[in-house]
Amino acid sequence: MGKRSRKQIATEHDKNKQKDESDEIVLAPVISSDEPPLKQAKWTNKERVLVFSSRGISHRARHLMIDLRTMMPHSKAESKMDRKDQLFVINEICEMKNCNKCIFFEAKKKMDLYMWVSNCPRGPSAKFLVENVHTMSELKMTGNCLKGSRPLLSFDKEFDEHPHWQLLKELFTQIFGTPNHHPKSQPFFDHVFTFSISDNRIWFRNYQILEEDGSLAEIGPRFVLNPIRVFEGSFGGPTLYLNPGYVSPNEHRRLIRKQVAKKYIHRVEAKKSLEDRKPEYTYPSDITDDVFVTIRPDK
Amino acid sequence: MVDLHDSSDSEELDSDEELQRAFARGELKTGLNYEARAPKQIINNVSGMKQKLAELQKNLDWIEQLDLTNGPAPAPGGQEEFTEDEDVSNNDFKRELRFYRQAQASVLEGIPRLHKLGIKTRRPEDYFAEMAKSDVHMKKVREKLLEKQQNIEQRDKAKKLRDLRKYGKKVQIDVLQKRQKEKREMLDAVKKFRKGQKNKLDFLDDNTEKGKGKRGGGKNQDNKVQQPNKKRQYKNQKYGFGGQKKRSKQNTKESAADLTGFNPKVNQSRPGFNKNKSGNKNKPNKRGNKDKNKRPGKSQRHKMKNKR
């Protein structure tokens, strides 16, 4: 292609201009591919959850914590807290990290796992005993979802019955629900968190939505929360609710051991109580009744 | 049954004297006395909780929270899987089913609601993004599922094979027994015939007819009698029914006196007898005179005799 002379180019430009003016075509705005895509709507619901644990946590609980962090894009991680520090220190840690909610896993005796959920500056907070933990990496959990997609939250009808359940429901909604337009969230809805109440405990399940008509596959993790207490403040303060049916794991173990040990003693006591309960005479009878009884020979 | 009342480590240890005094007053009864446990602490600050709830609540649109409250969805078959009051906490299957149904109900309510708000819920096929579980992990999951399925299939196959083998063995035994029975009957019939009890040879005809009827139905055979193949016949002759005939007697009185195989030209001539006769010059034979008059060998004679 040879160089075109300046005159030629100028005339062409003039021609185009004339064309535009004469035809009066309003050209549509052209979007070039170099421009960045349309910005998402703003993220207004600023929820940040701090998820961390104390020392002495078992590997299963650690994996549960990691799974929760994966599921919640609005979560932040923190290194393990020393058991020496008191619990209200957590409020300060949350403030430093600019988080307004917290999930804290406390492991005792390397066997028992407790979970604190709290709304950090002012409360309320709740302490649970975590049971029946299954992590996401178990091979029976066949579902999968987008990392950071917003979950649908499904609550049992019983959550509306009592005030302590209502309070916990609100707390869970704010903690587990990913905020709208969060920068790390993904646009589509492909999983649902289920909170159900059974046997005075909260059962958590995470299902993948396979089809819009309702077929589901479990993704994991799954755990059971046994509520212990609900506090007015964050990690402290007066107790609002105490679970009457709660038996601490220590006491539970103690009772089992006692049962085994006391087997013999129970048996002895049972025998003794039978003796005490037994009346001396089953029914009143007179010894002189059989004086005139004659025993006839059998025919 | 756990005995919660038996606490030997209580704070107040009642001494014997105290107990005696209480009994005298009439506060204690005879029999075993259990120490009642202190009533459990019950804290249920309803008003406080309600206040806290009001403080905590943020009145946002549903789209921000995405929370749904519902009971379990109805089962597709129309049957009731579990009643409302039933305690399903110990029945694993029913419990999980109840949670599944609850999630289903939420999905059936939530997805249309999102669609109404104009939000796409379905991930398009070409949208590739990071998943919560890695591809490697999902591959392992798939392999495990496949393995389970294959195990089931293998077990089914093995079961079928075992059943088939049992059936096949049964059929084999039946057939063998039938054959043995036929053989026995045949032998008996032959014996009877030989001993003169039976005049007719009808048992032979019956068998072939029966055999034909069964086997010749489908085939397009001619009137040829079904025979085993030549090899089988030879073997039968050699080893069956009485063993070798080779070393048994071959001549009877009649066969020795039989002169049909006697050709005087071959057997009654002297060698060189016919050399000078007129006919020989015209026809030079291939073999030579010797060979023309030669007597065939034993096996050839045997064959010729049997053919007759």
Side-chain angles (χ1 to χ4, degrees), chain A residues 45 47 122 141 143-145 147 150 153-156 169 174 186 196 205 212 214 240 242, chain B residues 6 43 45 52 56 58 63-64 66 68-70 96 98-99 102 104 106 121 127 130 132-133:
Chain A
N45 182 16
E47 289 286 350
R122 320 184 95 240
M141 313 284 191
N144 199 0
C145 67
K147 186 170 179 178
R150 296 185 64 208
L153 301 170
S154 161
F155 291 95
D156 198 359
K169 176 182 165 180
Q174 294 189 9
Q186 302 262 19
S196 321
R205 296 279 182 274
E212 312 266 287
L240 289 173
L242 182 132
Chain B
D6 200 9
I43 304 176
N45 188 354
K52 265 300 174 181
L56 185 64
K58 304 181 191 177
I63 183 65
E64 307 283 330
L66 292 177
L68 301 140
T69 311
N70 38 34
E96 293 300 320
R98 183 167 153 254
F99 299 156
Q102 189 196 315
Q104 263 188 334
S106 297
T121 54
Y127 187 93
E130 196 182 351
K133 296 190 196 174

mmCIF file of all heavy atoms in Angstrom, chain A residues 45 47 122 141 143-145 147 150 153-156 169 174 186 196 205 212 214 240 242, chain B residues 6 43 45 52 56 58 63-64 66 68-70 96 98-99 102 104 106 121 127 130 132-133:
data_model
loop_
_atom_site.group_PDB
_atom_site.id
_atom_site.type_symbol
_atom_site.label_atom_id
_atom_site.label_comp_id
_atom_site.label_asym_id
_atom_site.label_seq_id
_atom_site.Cartn_x
_atom_site.Cartn_y
_atom_site.Cartn_z
ATOM 1 N N ASN A 45 -24.305 -3.689 52.273
ATOM 2 C CA ASN A 45 -24.473 -4.435 53.511
ATOM 3 C C ASN A 45 -23.107 -4.905 53.985
ATOM 4 O O ASN A 45 -22.650 -5.987 53.647
ATOM 5 C CB ASN A 45 -25.411 -5.619 53.245
ATOM 6 C CG ASN A 45 -25.683 -6.407 54.494
ATOM 7 O OD1 ASN A 45 -25.439 -5.941 55.599
ATOM 8 N ND2 ASN A 45 -26.183 -7.608 54.307
ATOM 9 N N GLU A 47 -20.982 -6.647 55.957
ATOM 10 C CA GLU A 47 -20.840 -7.675 56.983
ATOM 11 C C GLU A 47 -19.490 -8.326 56.790
ATOM 12 O O GLU A 47 -19.173 -8.763 55.685
ATOM 13 C CB GLU A 47 -21.905 -8.759 56.803
ATOM 14 C CG GLU A 47 -23.303 -8.356 57.150
ATOM 15 C CD GLU A 47 -23.524 -8.262 58.646
ATOM 16 O OE1 GLU A 47 -22.637 -8.698 59.425
ATOM 17 O OE2 GLU A 47 -24.550 -7.738 59.027
ATOM 18 N N ARG A 122 -21.536 -5.059 70.279
ATOM 19 C CA ARG A 122 -22.510 -4.918 71.364
ATOM 20 C C ARG A 122 -23.231 -6.209 71.717
ATOM 21 O O ARG A 122 -23.969 -6.266 72.676
ATOM 22 C CB ARG A 122 -23.563 -3.870 70.971
ATOM 23 C CG ARG A 122 -22.915 -2.684 70.255
ATOM 24 C CD ARG A 122 -23.891 -1.594 69.927
ATOM 25 N NE ARG A 122 -23.867 -0.581 70.980
ATOM 26 C CZ ARG A 122 -24.932 -0.270 71.707
ATOM 27 N NH1 ARG A 122 -26.082 -0.886 71.530
ATOM 28 N NH2 ARG A 122 -24.822 0.650 72.639
ATOM 29 N N MET A 141 -19.958 -36.638 50.097
ATOM 30 C CA MET A 141 -20.551 -35.351 49.733
ATOM 31 C C MET A 141 -20.244 -35.104 48.269
ATOM 32 O O MET A 141 -19.143 -34.740 47.901
ATOM 33 C CB MET A 141 -19.943 -34.224 50.587
ATOM 34 C CG MET A 141 -19.880 -34.521 52.049
ATOM 35 S SD MET A 141 -21.484 -34.350 52.780
ATOM 36 C CE MET A 141 -21.079 -34.412 54.481
ATOM 37 N N GLY A 143 -21.835 -33.026 46.017
ATOM 38 C CA GLY A 143 -22.160 -31.775 45.346
ATOM 39 C C GLY A 143 -20.978 -30.819 45.290
ATOM 40 O O GLY A 143 -19.981 -30.980 45.972
ATOM 41 N N ASN A 144 -21.113 -29.823 44.460
ATOM 42 C CA ASN A 144 -20.095 -28.791 44.322
ATOM 43 C C ASN A 144 -20.786 -27.489 43.972
ATOM 44 O O ASN A 144 -21.863 -27.480 43.384
ATOM 45 C CB ASN A 144 -19.097 -29.186 43.230
ATOM 46 C CG ASN A 144 -17.796 -28.415 43.341
ATOM 47 O OD1 ASN A 144 -17.631 -27.579 44.229
ATOM 48 N ND2 ASN A 144 -16.866 -28.704 42.455
ATOM 49 N N CYS A 145 -20.159 -26.372 44.335
ATOM 50 C CA CYS A 145 -20.786 -25.092 44.010
ATOM 51 C C CYS A 145 -19.700 -24.084 43.686
ATOM 52 O O CYS A 145 -18.524 -24.327 43.924
ATOM 53 C CB CYS A 145 -21.633 -24.599 45.175
ATOM 54 S SG CYS A 145 -20.659 -24.169 46.618
ATOM 55 N N LYS A 147 -17.348 -21.072 44.141
ATOM 56 C CA LYS A 147 -16.720 -20.581 45.367
ATOM 57 C C LYS A 147 -17.150 -19.130 45.561
ATOM 58 O O LYS A 147 -16.784 -18.255 44.809
ATOM 59 C CB LYS A 147 -15.211 -20.668 45.212
ATOM 60 C CG LYS A 147 -14.490 -20.329 46.476
ATOM 61 C CD LYS A 147 -13.030 -20.656 46.357
ATOM 62 C CE LYS A 147 -12.313 -20.289 47.626
ATOM 63 N NZ LYS A 147 -10.908 -20.623 47.585
ATOM 64 N N ARG A 150 -23.709 -16.775 46.447
ATOM 65 C CA ARG A 150 -24.539 -16.432 47.602
ATOM 66 C C ARG A 150 -25.478 -17.587 47.911
ATOM 67 O O ARG A 150 -26.121 -18.118 47.018
ATOM 68 C CB ARG A 150 -25.335 -15.165 47.309
ATOM 69 C CG ARG A 150 -24.449 -13.959 47.114
ATOM 70 C CD ARG A 150 -25.262 -12.714 46.959
ATOM 71 N NE ARG A 150 -26.002 -12.429 48.162
ATOM 72 C CZ ARG A 150 -27.155 -11.777 48.171
ATOM 73 N NH1 ARG A 150 -27.704 -11.384 47.052
ATOM 74 N NH2 ARG A 150 -27.766 -11.543 49.298
ATOM 75 N N LEU A 153 -30.824 -19.197 52.355
ATOM 76 C CA LEU A 153 -30.846 -19.685 53.732
ATOM 77 C C LEU A 153 -32.234 -20.222 54.020
ATOM 78 O O LEU A 153 -33.221 -19.526 53.827
ATOM 79 C CB LEU A 153 -30.515 -18.536 54.694
ATOM 80 C CG LEU A 153 -29.162 -17.879 54.461
ATOM 81 C CD1 LEU A 153 -29.047 -16.619 55.284
ATOM 82 C CD2 LEU A 153 -28.051 -18.819 54.831
ATOM 83 N N SER A 154 -32.276 -21.459 54.482
ATOM 84 C CA SER A 154 -33.566 -22.088 54.741
ATOM 85 C C SER A 154 -33.664 -22.423 56.230
ATOM 86 O O SER A 154 -32.802 -23.114 56.774
ATOM 87 C CB SER A 154 -33.672 -23.369 53.898
ATOM 88 O OG SER A 154 -34.650 -24.211 54.418
ATOM 89 N N PHE A 155 -34.686 -21.888 56.879
ATOM 90 C CA PHE A 155 -34.870 -22.116 58.319
ATOM 91 C C PHE A 155 -36.112 -22.944 58.560
ATOM 92 O O PHE A 155 -37.105 -22.825 57.859
ATOM 93 C CB PHE A 155 -34.994 -20.780 59.055
ATOM 94 C CG PHE A 155 -33.720 -19.999 59.078
ATOM 95 C CD1 PHE A 155 -33.469 -19.024 58.134
ATOM 96 C CD2 PHE A 155 -32.761 -20.242 60.049
ATOM 97 C CE1 PHE A 155 -32.294 -18.307 58.150
ATOM 98 C CE2 PHE A 155 -31.586 -19.534 60.078
ATOM 99 C CZ PHE A 155 -31.353 -18.552 59.118
ATOM 100 N N ASP A 156 -36.040 -23.735 59.604
ATOM 101 C CA ASP A 156 -37.178 -24.548 60.005
ATOM 102 C C ASP A 156 -38.279 -23.652 60.563
ATOM 103 O O ASP A 156 -38.013 -22.548 61.043
ATOM 104 C CB ASP A 156 -36.689 -25.537 61.088
ATOM 105 C CG ASP A 156 -37.623 -26.694 61.276
ATOM 106 O OD1 ASP A 156 -38.663 -26.722 60.589
ATOM 107 O OD2 ASP A 156 -37.330 -27.560 62.103
ATOM 108 N N LYS A 169 -31.863 -17.165 64.832
ATOM 109 C CA LYS A 169 -32.128 -17.122 63.391
ATOM 110 C C LYS A 169 -31.594 -15.820 62.786
ATOM 111 O O LYS A 169 -30.937 -15.828 61.732
ATOM 112 C CB LYS A 169 -33.637 -17.230 63.155
ATOM 113 C CG LYS A 169 -34.016 -17.092 61.695
ATOM 114 C CD LYS A 169 -35.511 -17.155 61.526
ATOM 115 C CE LYS A 169 -35.892 -16.645 60.151
ATOM 116 N NZ LYS A 169 -37.338 -16.688 59.948
ATOM 117 N N GLN A 174 -27.488 -13.112 59.451
ATOM 118 C CA GLN A 174 -26.492 -12.081 59.184
ATOM 119 C C GLN A 174 -25.094 -12.648 59.034
ATOM 120 O O GLN A 174 -24.286 -12.102 58.291
ATOM 121 C CB GLN A 174 -26.521 -11.042 60.313
ATOM 122 C CG GLN A 174 -27.826 -10.282 60.332
ATOM 123 C CD GLN A 174 -27.778 -9.130 61.294
ATOM 124 O OE1 GLN A 174 -26.726 -8.789 61.824
ATOM 125 N NE2 GLN A 174 -28.929 -8.537 61.542
ATOM 126 N N GLN A 186 -19.922 -14.539 43.759
ATOM 127 C CA GLN A 186 -20.207 -14.914 42.375
ATOM 128 C C GLN A 186 -21.690 -14.702 42.105
ATOM 129 O O GLN A 186 -22.504 -14.784 43.020
ATOM 130 C CB GLN A 186 -19.846 -16.388 42.166
ATOM 131 C CG GLN A 186 -18.405 -16.705 42.477
ATOM 132 C CD GLN A 186 -17.564 -16.729 41.236
ATOM 133 O OE1 GLN A 186 -17.958 -16.186 40.211
ATOM 134 N NE2 GLN A 186 -16.420 -17.353 41.334
ATOM 135 N N SER A 196 -32.128 -26.674 60.629
ATOM 136 C CA SER A 196 -33.348 -27.323 61.118
ATOM 137 C C SER A 196 -33.209 -27.576 62.601
ATOM 138 O O SER A 196 -32.104 -27.704 63.120
ATOM 139 C CB SER A 196 -33.567 -28.658 60.418
ATOM 140 O OG SER A 196 -33.242 -28.583 59.071
ATOM 141 N N ARG A 205 -27.028 -28.121 57.205
ATOM 142 C CA ARG A 205 -26.698 -28.877 56.002
ATOM 143 C C ARG A 205 -26.479 -27.886 54.870
ATOM 144 O O ARG A 205 -27.072 -26.817 54.854
ATOM 145 C CB ARG A 205 -27.854 -29.816 55.611
ATOM 146 C CG ARG A 205 -28.159 -30.897 56.619
ATOM 147 C CD ARG A 205 -27.214 -32.054 56.491
ATOM 148 N NE ARG A 205 -27.512 -33.116 57.422
ATOM 149 C CZ ARG A 205 -27.073 -33.196 58.672
ATOM 150 N NH1 ARG A 205 -26.319 -32.238 59.173
ATOM 151 N NH2 ARG A 205 -27.378 -34.207 59.440
ATOM 152 N N GLU A 212 -33.612 -26.672 38.935
ATOM 153 C CA GLU A 212 -34.485 -25.660 39.521
ATOM 154 C C GLU A 212 -35.764 -26.271 40.072
ATOM 155 O O GLU A 212 -36.488 -25.629 40.825
ATOM 156 C CB GLU A 212 -34.835 -24.612 38.470
ATOM 157 C CG GLU A 212 -33.622 -24.101 37.707
ATOM 158 C CD GLU A 212 -33.021 -22.840 38.298
ATOM 159 O OE1 GLU A 212 -33.637 -21.794 38.142
ATOM 160 O OE2 GLU A 212 -31.947 -22.924 38.916
ATOM 161 N N GLY A 214 -35.877 -28.722 42.087
ATOM 162 C CA GLY A 214 -35.702 -29.122 43.474
ATOM 163 C C GLY A 214 -34.819 -30.318 43.732
ATOM 164 O O GLY A 214 -34.788 -30.804 44.852
ATOM 165 N N LEU A 240 -29.031 -14.420 78.628
ATOM 166 C CA LEU A 240 -30.417 -14.234 78.234
ATOM 167 C C LEU A 240 -31.172 -15.546 78.245
ATOM 168 O O LEU A 240 -32.343 -15.601 78.547
ATOM 169 C CB LEU A 240 -30.474 -13.625 76.826
ATOM 170 C CG LEU A 240 -30.035 -12.175 76.700
ATOM 171 C CD1 LEU A 240 -29.979 -11.790 75.234
ATOM 172 C CD2 LEU A 240 -30.968 -11.252 77.451
ATOM 173 N N LEU A 242 -30.652 -19.960 78.892
ATOM 174 C CA LEU A 242 -29.847 -21.123 79.251
ATOM 175 C C LEU A 242 -30.620 -22.358 78.833
ATOM 176 O O LEU A 242 -31.805 -22.477 79.121
ATOM 177 C CB LEU A 242 -29.611 -21.112 80.764
ATOM 178 C CG LEU A 242 -28.756 -22.235 81.328
ATOM 179 C CD1 LEU A 242 -27.716 -21.654 82.247
ATOM 180 C CD2 LEU A 242 -29.591 -23.220 82.088
ATOM 181 N N ASP B 6 -27.939 -40.181 92.994
ATOM 182 C CA ASP B 6 -26.925 -40.752 93.870
ATOM 183 C C ASP B 6 -25.682 -39.881 93.849
ATOM 184 O O ASP B 6 -24.806 -40.050 93.023
ATOM 185 C CB ASP B 6 -26.604 -42.169 93.388
ATOM 186 C CG ASP B 6 -25.967 -42.963 94.486
ATOM 187 O OD1 ASP B 6 -25.955 -42.460 95.632
ATOM 188 O OD2 ASP B 6 -25.512 -44.056 94.215
ATOM 189 N N ILE B 43 -33.046 -19.995 82.852
ATOM 190 C CA ILE B 43 -32.995 -18.578 82.502
ATOM 191 C C ILE B 43 -33.620 -18.431 81.134
ATOM 192 O O ILE B 43 -33.170 -19.036 80.176
ATOM 193 C CB ILE B 43 -31.544 -18.056 82.450
ATOM 194 C CG1 ILE B 43 -30.855 -18.325 83.774
ATOM 195 C CG2 ILE B 43 -31.531 -16.570 82.135
ATOM 196 C CD1 ILE B 43 -29.406 -17.936 83.770
ATOM 197 N N ASN B 45 -34.904 -15.085 79.438
ATOM 198 C CA ASN B 45 -35.236 -13.664 79.516
ATOM 199 C C ASN B 45 -35.888 -13.229 78.220
ATOM 200 O O ASN B 45 -35.234 -12.727 77.307
ATOM 201 C CB ASN B 45 -33.942 -12.880 79.786
ATOM 202 C CG ASN B 45 -34.202 -11.429 80.085
ATOM 203 O OD1 ASN B 45 -35.327 -10.959 79.996
ATOM 204 N ND2 ASN B 45 -33.150 -10.726 80.446
ATOM 205 N N LYS B 52 -33.034 -7.343 72.291
ATOM 206 C CA LYS B 52 -31.783 -7.549 71.564
ATOM 207 C C LYS B 52 -32.052 -7.831 70.082
ATOM 208 O O LYS B 52 -31.325 -7.394 69.198
ATOM 209 C CB LYS B 52 -31.005 -8.732 72.143
ATOM 210 C CG LYS B 52 -29.969 -8.350 73.153
ATOM 211 C CD LYS B 52 -28.939 -7.432 72.564
ATOM 212 C CE LYS B 52 -27.989 -6.950 73.607
ATOM 213 N NZ LYS B 52 -26.982 -6.062 73.153
ATOM 214 N N LEU B 56 -30.708 -5.898 66.916
ATOM 215 C CA LEU B 56 -29.850 -6.586 65.944
ATOM 216 C C LEU B 56 -30.395 -6.476 64.519
ATOM 217 O O LEU B 56 -29.654 -6.398 63.556
ATOM 218 C CB LEU B 56 -29.724 -8.058 66.348
ATOM 219 C CG LEU B 56 -28.781 -8.954 65.562
ATOM 220 C CD1 LEU B 56 -27.364 -8.480 65.734
ATOM 221 C CD2 LEU B 56 -28.914 -10.370 66.031
ATOM 222 N N LYS B 58 -31.606 -5.716 61.000
ATOM 223 C CA LYS B 58 -31.421 -4.650 60.029
ATOM 224 C C LYS B 58 -32.556 -4.800 59.046
ATOM 225 O O LYS B 58 -32.738 -5.864 58.483
ATOM 226 C CB LYS B 58 -30.133 -4.884 59.222
ATOM 227 C CG LYS B 58 -28.895 -5.027 59.988
ATOM 228 C CD LYS B 58 -27.792 -5.232 58.952
ATOM 229 C CE LYS B 58 -26.507 -5.642 59.563
ATOM 230 N NZ LYS B 58 -25.501 -5.894 58.544
ATOM 231 N N ILE B 63 -33.657 -9.443 49.150
ATOM 232 C CA ILE B 63 -32.553 -9.818 48.271
ATOM 233 C C ILE B 63 -31.203 -9.741 48.995
ATOM 234 O O ILE B 63 -30.255 -10.433 48.665
ATOM 235 C CB ILE B 63 -32.559 -8.935 46.993
ATOM 236 C CG1 ILE B 63 -31.465 -9.358 46.024
ATOM 237 C CG2 ILE B 63 -32.364 -7.479 47.334
ATOM 238 C CD1 ILE B 63 -31.627 -10.727 45.462
ATOM 239 N N GLU B 64 -31.141 -8.903 50.031
ATOM 240 C CA GLU B 64 -29.880 -8.799 50.765
ATOM 241 C C GLU B 64 -29.685 -9.991 51.689
ATOM 242 O O GLU B 64 -28.571 -10.419 51.944
ATOM 243 C CB GLU B 64 -29.867 -7.519 51.604
ATOM 244 C CG GLU B 64 -30.177 -6.256 50.837
ATOM 245 C CD GLU B 64 -28.982 -5.784 50.014
ATOM 246 O OE1 GLU B 64 -27.845 -6.038 50.424
ATOM 247 O OE2 GLU B 64 -29.211 -5.182 48.953
ATOM 248 N N LEU B 66 -31.845 -13.070 51.784
ATOM 249 C CA LEU B 66 -32.160 -14.368 51.169
ATOM 250 C C LEU B 66 -32.541 -15.428 52.200
ATOM 251 O O LEU B 66 -32.158 -16.577 52.088
ATOM 252 C CB LEU B 66 -30.956 -14.895 50.356
ATOM 253 C CG LEU B 66 -30.582 -14.148 49.100
ATOM 254 C CD1 LEU B 66 -29.347 -14.789 48.509
ATOM 255 C CD2 LEU B 66 -31.704 -14.157 48.082
ATOM 256 N N LEU B 68 -35.368 -17.766 54.118
ATOM 257 C CA LEU B 68 -36.703 -18.323 53.922
ATOM 258 C C LEU B 68 -37.005 -19.250 55.083
ATOM 259 O O LEU B 68 -36.124 -19.976 55.541
ATOM 260 C CB LEU B 68 -36.747 -19.131 52.616
ATOM 261 C CG LEU B 68 -36.400 -18.360 51.361
ATOM 262 C CD1 LEU B 68 -35.569 -19.227 50.458
ATOM 263 C CD2 LEU B 68 -37.660 -17.928 50.662
ATOM 264 N N THR B 69 -38.237 -19.207 55.543
ATOM 265 C CA THR B 69 -38.641 -20.104 56.624
ATOM 266 C C THR B 69 -39.768 -20.953 56.110
ATOM 267 O O THR B 69 -40.793 -20.453 55.671
ATOM 268 C CB THR B 69 -39.118 -19.299 57.842
ATOM 269 O OG1 THR B 69 -38.147 -18.300 58.108
ATOM 270 C CG2 THR B 69 -39.268 -20.181 59.040
ATOM 271 N N ASN B 70 -39.568 -22.260 56.134
ATOM 272 C CA ASN B 70 -40.636 -23.140 55.673
ATOM 273 C C ASN B 70 -40.499 -24.509 56.293
ATOM 274 O O ASN B 70 -39.436 -24.896 56.760
ATOM 275 C CB ASN B 70 -40.624 -23.251 54.155
ATOM 276 C CG ASN B 70 -39.224 -23.282 53.619
ATOM 277 O OD1 ASN B 70 -38.316 -23.819 54.250
ATOM 278 N ND2 ASN B 70 -39.024 -22.681 52.469
ATOM 279 N N GLU B 96 -32.755 -37.090 57.752
ATOM 280 C CA GLU B 96 -32.099 -36.496 56.575
ATOM 281 C C GLU B 96 -33.106 -36.165 55.501
ATOM 282 O O GLU B 96 -33.005 -35.147 54.800
ATOM 283 C CB GLU B 96 -31.041 -37.450 56.007
ATOM 284 C CG GLU B 96 -29.860 -37.669 56.913
ATOM 285 C CD GLU B 96 -29.111 -36.400 57.238
ATOM 286 O OE1 GLU B 96 -28.935 -35.567 56.338
ATOM 287 O OE2 GLU B 96 -28.738 -36.224 58.400
ATOM 288 N N ARG B 98 -36.157 -35.315 55.992
ATOM 289 C CA ARG B 98 -36.876 -34.117 56.415
ATOM 290 C C ARG B 98 -36.063 -32.865 56.091
ATOM 291 O O ARG B 98 -36.598 -31.878 55.573
ATOM 292 C CB ARG B 98 -37.148 -34.184 57.914
ATOM 293 C CG ARG B 98 -37.953 -33.011 58.400
ATOM 294 C CD ARG B 98 -38.492 -33.196 59.788
ATOM 295 N NE ARG B 98 -38.664 -31.884 60.379
ATOM 296 C CZ ARG B 98 -37.893 -31.356 61.318
ATOM 297 N NH1 ARG B 98 -36.920 -32.058 61.823
ATOM 298 N NH2 ARG B 98 -38.117 -30.143 61.769
ATOM 299 N N PHE B 99 -34.762 -32.902 56.339
ATOM 300 C CA PHE B 99 -33.923 -31.746 56.016
ATOM 301 C C PHE B 99 -33.913 -31.505 54.510
ATOM 302 O O PHE B 99 -33.986 -30.370 54.038
ATOM 303 C CB PHE B 99 -32.472 -31.962 56.495
ATOM 304 C CG PHE B 99 -32.334 -32.155 57.965
ATOM 305 C CD1 PHE B 99 -31.238 -32.822 58.473
ATOM 306 C CD2 PHE B 99 -33.278 -31.679 58.849
ATOM 307 C CE1 PHE B 99 -31.092 -33.009 59.837
ATOM 308 C CE2 PHE B 99 -33.144 -31.856 60.204
ATOM 309 C CZ PHE B 99 -32.036 -32.532 60.699
ATOM 310 N N GLN B 102 -37.045 -29.910 53.458
ATOM 311 C CA GLN B 102 -37.079 -28.494 53.853
ATOM 312 C C GLN B 102 -36.282 -27.651 52.864
ATOM 313 O O GLN B 102 -36.735 -26.575 52.426
ATOM 314 C CB GLN B 102 -36.500 -28.351 55.254
ATOM 315 C CG GLN B 102 -36.687 -26.969 55.843
ATOM 316 C CD GLN B 102 -35.777 -26.755 57.025
ATOM 317 O OE1 GLN B 102 -35.650 -27.616 57.881
ATOM 318 N NE2 GLN B 102 -35.162 -25.598 57.086
ATOM 319 N N GLN B 104 -35.670 -28.392 49.802
ATOM 320 C CA GLN B 104 -36.411 -28.379 48.536
ATOM 321 C C GLN B 104 -37.488 -27.321 48.545
ATOM 322 O O GLN B 104 -37.662 -26.582 47.572
ATOM 323 C CB GLN B 104 -37.067 -29.746 48.319
ATOM 324 C CG GLN B 104 -36.282 -30.652 47.451
ATOM 325 C CD GLN B 104 -37.039 -31.898 47.096
ATOM 326 O OE1 GLN B 104 -37.919 -32.321 47.822
ATOM 327 N NE2 GLN B 104 -36.704 -32.463 45.979
ATOM 328 N N SER B 106 -37.596 -24.634 50.255
ATOM 329 C CA SER B 106 -36.973 -23.307 50.148
ATOM 330 C C SER B 106 -36.579 -22.998 48.717
ATOM 331 O O SER B 106 -36.773 -21.881 48.242
ATOM 332 C CB SER B 106 -35.727 -23.226 51.023
ATOM 333 O OG SER B 106 -36.064 -23.391 52.353
ATOM 334 N N THR B 121 -30.483 -17.122 37.961
ATOM 335 C CA THR B 121 -30.035 -18.032 39.002
ATOM 336 C C THR B 121 -29.214 -19.185 38.458
ATOM 337 O O THR B 121 -28.443 -19.803 39.177
ATOM 338 C CB THR B 121 -31.245 -18.637 39.735
ATOM 339 O OG1 THR B 121 -32.098 -19.219 38.743
ATOM 340 C CG2 THR B 121 -32.001 -17.583 40.487
ATOM 341 N N TYR B 127 -19.755 -20.682 31.619
ATOM 342 C CA TYR B 127 -19.242 -19.818 32.687
ATOM 343 C C TYR B 127 -18.297 -20.649 33.549
ATOM 344 O O TYR B 127 -18.731 -21.505 34.312
ATOM 345 C CB TYR B 127 -20.418 -19.316 33.522
ATOM 346 C CG TYR B 127 -20.067 -18.293 34.566
ATOM 347 C CD1 TYR B 127 -20.155 -16.941 34.300
ATOM 348 C CD2 TYR B 127 -19.652 -18.683 35.836
ATOM 349 C CE1 TYR B 127 -19.854 -15.997 35.267
ATOM 350 C CE2 TYR B 127 -19.338 -17.759 36.800
ATOM 351 C CZ TYR B 127 -19.443 -16.410 36.508
ATOM 352 O OH TYR B 127 -19.140 -15.492 37.470
ATOM 353 N N GLU B 130 -13.988 -20.458 39.699
ATOM 354 C CA GLU B 130 -13.437 -21.332 40.731
ATOM 355 C C GLU B 130 -14.573 -21.966 41.533
ATOM 356 O O GLU B 130 -15.519 -21.293 41.938
ATOM 357 C CB GLU B 130 -12.557 -20.503 41.668
ATOM 358 C CG GLU B 130 -11.644 -21.350 42.518
ATOM 359 C CD GLU B 130 -10.824 -20.507 43.462
ATOM 360 O OE1 GLU B 130 -10.848 -19.269 43.334
ATOM 361 O OE2 GLU B 130 -10.185 -21.085 44.358
ATOM 362 N N ALA B 132 -15.932 -24.461 44.793
ATOM 363 C CA ALA B 132 -15.564 -24.672 46.193
ATOM 364 C C ALA B 132 -14.693 -25.909 46.352
ATOM 365 O O ALA B 132 -13.784 -25.946 47.174
ATOM 366 C CB ALA B 132 -16.824 -24.810 47.051
ATOM 367 N N LYS B 133 -14.972 -26.952 45.582
ATOM 368 C CA LYS B 133 -14.132 -28.155 45.637
ATOM 369 C C LYS B 133 -13.340 -28.231 44.336
ATOM 370 O O LYS B 133 -13.862 -27.983 43.264
ATOM 371 C CB LYS B 133 -15.009 -29.397 45.750
ATOM 372 C CG LYS B 133 -15.811 -29.445 47.018
ATOM 373 C CD LYS B 133 -16.454 -30.814 47.141
ATOM 374 C CE LYS B 133 -17.545 -30.771 48.160
ATOM 375 N NZ LYS B 133 -18.292 -32.016 48.227
#
